[in-house]
Amino acid sequence: MVGRDVSALPRPDAALPDDGTAHWAVLVRFGEVALKKGHRQLFMGVLRRNIERALVGLPVERVAIRPNRCFVWLADAAAWPAVRERLGNVFGIVGYALCLRVPPTLEAARQAYHALVGGPPASFAVRAHRGDKTFPLTSQEIERELGAYIKEATGSRVDLTQPELTFYVEVQPEGMFCTTEQVAGPGGLPVGTGGNVVSLLSGGIDSPVASYRMLKRGCRVTFVHFTSYPFTDASSWDKCRALVGILTRHQFESKLYAVRLGEVQRRIVVAVPAQYRILMYRRMMLRIAEAIARREGCKALVTGESLGQVGSQTLDNLVAVQEATRLPVLRPLIGMDKQEIIAEARRIGTYDISIEPDMDCCQYLVPPRVATTSTPERLRGLESSLDVPALVDLALSETEVEEFRWP
Ligand code: ATP
Ligand code: MG
């Protein structure tokens, strides 16, 4: 965030045009969306719907979308802090600002300056953007004219490199949008444009970050958690509920499938040497997740695996485990260091939940040492004494689904 806070209403003494043309609007900029030529209409439609959903219940008059901008017309500028926070979750948005929309004249922009800014700043800059090319002045001319005026009116110094205050003016067919603050958006692509995936959510640090990354690329995510409850406590399941609550801010509604894996694990334990147990659990997880994916119309599975992070995530093991499913397994964190993942978890707000102690099902009946080299053939051989389809069905019958909504 740069510039001054303009969350305050215009000063009562500000001489706004009294013809009713001044209006508060949030000007939203989007990036990649605009580049997707063939799908532009679709992307913009989804982005607009997502913005509307994010702002549900707030005093918004209308959300209007144009080829390069979106306008959120506010019925009440006092809603800005809430609007600012909610829009921060909408992928596809590159930046946004609360603007005072005035008629497209320099005089109106001068009045808007006084309405938005209290006392004179030590230094300032004007940044203009002419989005409406029919406006008679170029961006540079607008900056020069308004800069000269503000300097004269306030005695403030012009500083184009590190101004204390930046006065932004954007000319659009809808009028002149003036502000002193630009908020950075989350970027990415609008959720709903990237297809549906199932994410395996453990309650640990990595899988929420992996899920976030898929949401950020526009995917709708259905969550699946495997728990050994009631053989263990339900702490990892509770953590997953809290994590899904946070991640749902980006897609407005989520489903969390909680699969009780304990009985399947006990069957594996009696059939398979100890150091292979965790790999067998994982193969079962992928199969069960695949069944859920087919039910939910999802085309891929997502995990928080990162190459070599732990013994079960060597390349050999990833390959040997993945063979259990025909769906692609997407691993957005595959090349990341743990420290990088932790930093991202902190940034997206999942870290504090993830580090709460829990009893994850992968700790249930697992020896300290895991086989670091396995092959699909070896694991398939070990499974031959198990009735795999029956175990998948058993686990699916021990599954609960919970729905989450935001806001
Ligand atoms: P995380 O921090 O996501 O738990 P991790 O570093 O602990 O990852 P593993 O425990 O080996 O790594 O798990 C690797 C991936 O397998 C997880 O990121 C997750 O996608 C999936 N996974 C593991 N355990 C579970 C579980 N109980 N429920 C759902 N998915 C799981
Ligand atoms: Mg884990």
Side-chain angles (χ1 to χ4, degrees):
M1 223 172 291
V2 286
R4 284 193 171 186
D5 190 11
V6 290
S7 50
L9 290 165
R11 288 156 47 235
D13 57 337
L16 282 180
D18 54 10
D19 54 5
T21 48
H23 203 111
W24 291 101
V26 180
L27 192 60
V28 179
R29 288 176 289 122
F30 37 92
E32 277 185 79
V33 178
L35 303 176
K36 307 270 171 205
K37 281 243 155 46
H39 296 98
R40 192 168 168 140
Q41 283 316 105
L42 167 79
F43 276 68
M44 282 170 34
V46 173
L47 179 63
R48 178 184 142 168
R49 233 184 357 267
N50 289 352
I51 290 173
E52 284 171 346
R53 291 193 71 173
L55 299 179
V56 136
L58 299 178
V60 170
E61 282 171 5
R62 199 160 50 87
V63 177
I65 200 141
R66 302 278 174 268
N68 289 309
R69 293 284 186 269
C70 173
F71 304 102
V72 178
W73 298 98
L74 298 183
D76 183 358
W80 168 238
V83 170
R84 175 162 65 186
E85 193 181 323
R86 299 244 194 119
L87 288 182
N89 297 302
V90 180
F91 289 127
I93 295 180
V94 164
Y96 52 107
L98 174 66
C99 298
L100 193 57
R101 192 287 312 265
V102 294
T105 67
L106 287 180
E107 177 50 26
R110 290 182 200 119
Q111 293 180 22
Y113 174 88
H114 292 296
L116 292 168
V117 182
S123 61
F124 76 98
V126 178
R127 294 263 171 264
H129 172 74
R130 185 173 62 155
D132 175 5
K133 300 300 177 206
T134 66
F135 190 73
L137 302 182
T138 66
S139 304
Q140 265 200 346
E141 287 166 341
I142 299 170
E143 287 174 359
R144 240 184 274 127
E145 292 280 333
L146 287 176
Y149 168 77
I150 294 169
K151 187 166 179 238
E152 171 73 25
T154 62
S156 301
R157 171 169 58 80
V158 174
D159 181 345
L160 297 181
T161 48
Q162 270 203 315
E164 185 192 308
L165 175 109
T166 304
F167 185 55
Y168 301 89
V169 178
E170 178 162 332
V171 191
Q172 289 290 347
E174 286 80 358
M176 214 152 191
F177 292 79
C178 305
T179 188
T180 57
E181 181 199 45
Q182 298 284 349
V183 184
L189 298 170
V191 170
T193 61
N196 301 344
V197 297
V198 159
S199 185
L200 283 76
L201 192 69
S202 67
I205 295 170
D206 305 330
S207 43
V209 176
S211 307
Y212 176 91
R213 291 207 158 193
M214 297 311 295
L215 289 163
K216 186 166 177 181
R217 295 314 294 169
C219 289
R220 284 195 180 291
V221 178
T222 296
F223 299 95
V224 179
H225 175 62
F226 297 92
T227 170
S228 304
Y229 179 81
F231 300 104
T232 62
D233 67 22
S235 51
S236 65
W237 187 356
D238 289 337
K239 285 169 66 179
C240 285
R241 285 194 185 98
L243 291 167
V244 171
I246 290 177
L247 294 167
T248 301
R249 292 175 197 164
H250 305 288
Q251 63 177 357
F252 315 113
E253 48 195 62
S254 303
K255 275 189 196 169
L256 169 62
Y257 281 80
V259 182
R260 297 187 189 194
L261 200 65
E263 189 51 42
V264 171
Q265 292 180 282
R266 290 160 77 96
R267 307 266 182 101
I268 290 173
V269 164
V270 290
V272 171
Q275 75 270 29
Y276 288 105
R277 280 176 196 164
I278 195 157
L279 302 178
M280 305 303 268
Y281 296 171
R282 289 290 158 78
R283 282 170 67 93
M284 290 309 297
M285 286 185 189
L286 292 186
R287 291 188 179 104
I288 297 160
E290 174 175 334
I292 293 170
R294 301 213 184 275
R295 187 182 297 176
E296 291 287 336
C298 297
K299 295 198 177 84
L301 307 179
V302 177
T303 73
E305 288 161 318
S306 147
L307 188 62
Q309 193 190 79
V310 287
S312 57
Q313 296 176 28
T314 60
L315 186 56
D316 280 340
N317 282 342
L318 294 179
V319 170
V321 168
Q322 156 152 7
E323 196 242 9
T325 179
R326 281 196 307 280
L327 289 183
V329 179
L330 305 180
R331 301 178 180 88
L333 312 186
I334 194 71
M336 288 178 80
D337 291 346
K338 191 76 188 187
Q339 287 313 314
E340 294 170 329
I341 300 170
I342 287 175
E344 187 154 328
R346 284 214 167 93
R347 205 171 47 68
I348 67 175
T350 54
Y351 182 76
D352 288 340
I353 298 168
S354 291
I355 58 169
E356 279 170 29
D358 67 17
M359 188 62 205
D360 181 73
C361 73
C362 292
Q363 294 146 248
Y364 180 58
L365 305 177
V366 163
R369 282 184 65 79
V370 173
T372 50
T373 53
S374 62
T375 60
E377 296 71 32
R378 175 97 180 101
L379 299 186
R380 232 181 293 135
L382 292 171
E383 271 167 357
S384 61
S385 64
L386 297 167
D387 184 348
V388 168
L391 291 182
V392 171
D393 287 343
L394 172 67
L396 287 171
S397 72
E398 297 269 280
T399 297
E400 284 176 40
V401 193
E402 251 177 285
E403 301 203 0
F404 294 74
R405 267 169 212 290
W406 183 87

